[in-house]
Amino acid sequence: MKIEYRSKDYRNIYKVGNVIESDGVVYLVCQKAASNGYAKYFLINLCTATVSLEMYESLEGLAQAAGSEDDTLVKAKLIVDYKIDGGTER
């Protein structure tokens, strides 16, 4: 995976949709809407396609729990491959 580093202004690094590199691992910052109208925030490891077990009430909580000073905002191109109507790949 080619990583392109963005500007050095990391104040808003934890925004939904941002891609973060931390200790050589690339994460996508995500949001899930709960049935009660509140949102939960979490990370997806883009190298292994695994979802973090912890869910946080706010992006600030996510940044405090999972963030470090070594985190870097990166530019990434995400390609989603899916099949429609249960079709098979040919």
Side-chain angles (χ1 to χ4, degrees), residues 1 3 19-28 44-51 78:
M1 175 185 299
I3 296 175
V19 177
I20 309 300
E21 181 190 29
S22 181
D23 296 327
V25 180
V26 181
Y27 297 97
L28 175 64
I44 294 179
N45 181 325
L46 294 180
C47 298
T48 62
T50 54
V51 177
L78 181 63

Side-chain angles (χ1 to χ4, degrees), residues 8-25:
K8 296 293 179 187
D9 180 8
Y10 299 142
R11 287 175 292 171
N12 297 318
I13 193 168
Y14 282 89
K15 285 187 174 180
V16 173
N18 276 358
V19 177
I20 309 300
E21 181 190 29
S22 181
D23 296 327
V25 180

